[in-house]
Amino acid sequence: REKTLQLSLQVESMLNFAEENRRLQELLDFKRKTNLKIVPTRIVNKGIQPNLLSIIIDVGTDDNVHPNQPVLTSKGIIGKTIETGKNASIVQLISDVNYRLSVRIFPSGATGILRWLGDNQAQIREVQKNVDINIGDKIITSGFSKIYPAGLPVGKVAGVYDERGSFQKIVHAILHNDMSSFQYVFVIIEESNEME
């Protein structure tokens, strides 16, 4: 029985290593393919503030990470840095009730403001009513923000509803990231000579 238990634990350990290896390979492929200047990081803790959904990552000012820099996985945006120390930073997650993100729906080009609904779903408001939007359309960052460059993946359209008596639509979205299951993320580093 002892031998069976040992072998069972070894198999479980190998399966965990294989899954972690797959995730790290996915991140490495993303880092190779992207033109963005990014810093890879590991999540070391879930948020400690009761009024803010956040995570703590193991990079900070020593790694050229500062407040208000985008944080993403290979699948898309998960939040932004809000506070940085020398070797750690706090990231406000897209799933925080106070988080807002300016997005563009592709291919129509419609823009709106995304906010979290729960259960990996979000809502986009302030979308013009006369724009043609379909289920499955891609949602990306709009580029209207000083924080997020245009074109970063966010999610896809899951439903479109007309707001009665308004000139706007409400768009329901499914986010690419499962907000409860990532361990490694990237921080997009701002270039100091971006304007040159």
Side-chain angles (χ1 to χ4, degrees):
R1 278 189 220 152
E2 188 180 326
K3 191 71 173 167
T4 303
L5 180 61
Q6 284 178 342
L7 290 172
S8 177
L9 291 172
Q10 282 180 344
V11 167
E12 190 64 36
S13 179
M14 286 192 307
L15 289 171
N16 288 337
F17 284 138
E19 179 59 24
E20 184 172 16
N21 189 26
R22 185 194 63 74
R23 278 196 218 115
L24 291 172
Q25 188 63 47
E26 193 178 272
L27 294 173
L28 192 57
D29 289 345
F30 175 75
K31 190 168 192 306
R32 282 188 195 125
K33 291 175 187 171
T34 186
N35 295 328
L36 300 166
K37 186 173 179 189
I38 56 178
V39 172
T41 179
R42 189 170 58 90
I43 296 167
V44 293
N45 202 345
K46 294 289 183 187
I48 52 175
Q49 298 170 332
N51 60 344
L52 177 73
L53 268 176
S54 63
I55 55 174
I56 298 172
I57 55 176
D58 65 355
V59 293
T61 53
D62 285 355
D63 306 286
N64 205 21
V65 173
H66 303 286
N68 288 326
Q69 289 179 318
V71 180
L72 70 163
T73 69
S74 57
K75 295 178 181 176
I77 290 290
I78 61 137
K80 67 178 180 180
T81 56
I82 55 170
E83 205 170 307
T84 55
K86 284 175 61 100
N87 301 305
S89 301
I90 298 175
V91 175
Q92 182 186 19
L93 295 174
I94 200 169
S95 53
D96 182 68
V97 69
N98 298 310
Y99 195 94
R100 300 291 182 269
L101 180 64
S102 175
V103 295
R104 184 178 302 278
I105 301 166
F106 210 72
S108 70
T111 58
I113 305 297
L114 180 136
R115 68 183 184 91
W116 179 258
L117 284 180
D119 198 25
N120 240 44
Q121 296 182 40
Q123 187 177 75
I124 305 170
R125 290 190 167 266
E126 300 178 30
V127 179
Q128 284 185 317
K129 197 173 240 181
N130 61 350
V131 182
D132 186 30
I133 298 170
N134 299 298
I135 292 174
D137 284 357
K138 285 172 39 171
I139 301 166
I140 57 175
T141 51
S142 67
F144 292 156
S145 159
K146 289 183 179 179
I147 298 172
Y148 299 98
L152 298 175
V154 177
K156 64 181 180 179
V157 173
V160 184
Y161 308 95
D162 283 337
E163 222 175 347
R164 192 175 292 185
S166 169
F167 297 110
Q168 299 176 342
K169 290 181 180 184
I170 297 175
V171 177
H172 281 264
I174 295 175
L175 302 183
H176 290 316
N177 282 304
D178 178 352
M179 297 305 291
S180 62
S181 70
F182 47 81
Q183 295 174 304
Y184 302 94
V185 296
F186 295 104
V187 181
I188 299 177
I189 303 300
E190 301 287 11
E191 294 283 350
S192 57
N193 60 356
E194 197 173 44
M195 301 302 286
E196 293 176 7

